[in-house]
Amino acid sequence: MYLYLALPLYGRTSPNLDLAFGEEDLKLGRFHKNLTTLKNIIEDISAAINWVKEKYPRKKISIIGFCFGFHATLIAFLLKGIESSFCFYEAGVTEPRTYTDFSPINLLEKVFGKLNFICGSSDDLIPLQDRLKIQKRFKELDPLKERFNFVEIEGADHGFMSEERYSFDKATSLIGWDLLIKEFN
């Protein structure tokens, strides 16, 4: 049995925020994303992890993040007790965030478990230069590829896992789901 807990990353600034993928909704989502802080992300995810550990002490904890959710996933991955994470199409990994003086990629050396980074080769939000930097950093930290797994899906665009997005692609999303299923079986 699998248990799922979805964290509302923008819950502190808009507890009932429900967005689609139209331009106005994306703009509003970016606004709330920019209001999130490192401290709040850590507090919220720590509370969720502690709740799961208390209710289900024998369950393996993995985190899945899509887009900005990867940023939160990577931050959460610095906390002990998380065995694996799946980060789908996170842009901006190689650049500092507005509320920090470091890039998310600089956090990798502090990660405890297995990290899977999945992106598409046609994702303009993660240009080739960024994908190469991520792969290089993974190789520096994990030359044997035991903990850091970089998967680039040929032809996939940003948001390829979401059926609500124009970029959804059933074939490429099945590759992503297959990676998840293999981890949990």
Side-chain angles (χ1 to χ4, degrees), residues 37 51-52 66 70 105 111 134 136 144 149 165 172 177:
T37 67
W51 181 86
V52 170
F66 297 88
F70 163 73
I105 197 169
V111 166
I134 295 164
K136 180 181 178 186
L144 300 178
N149 182 30
R165 293 191 72 133
T172 54
W177 287 116

Side-chain angles (χ1 to χ4, degrees), residues 21 157-158 162-169:
F21 290 102
D157 199 349
H158 194 80
S162 175
E163 293 179 8
E164 297 177 12
R165 293 191 72 133
Y166 71 90
S167 55
F168 172 72
D169 182 85

Side-chain angles (χ1 to χ4, degrees), residues 2 60 180-185:
Y2 302 107
K60 172 181 168 182
L180 288 169
I181 290 167
K182 283 180 183 174
E183 176 71 18
F184 299 116
N185 287 327

Side-chain angles (χ1 to χ4, degrees), residues 64-67 70 85-90 115-120 123 126 131 138 149-153 156 160-161 172 175-177 179-180:
I64 302 169
F66 297 88
C67 198
F70 163 73
S85 72
F86 287 83
C87 306
F88 288 89
Y89 39 82
E90 164 58 16
L115 173 67
N116 298 279
F117 184 93
I118 301 105
C119 63
D123 188 341
I126 311 172
R131 295 192 310 268
F138 277 19
N149 182 30
F150 182 93
V151 177
E152 183 176 312
I153 301 173
F160 67 87
M161 295 285 289
T172 54
I175 294 169
W177 287 116
L179 291 167
L180 288 169

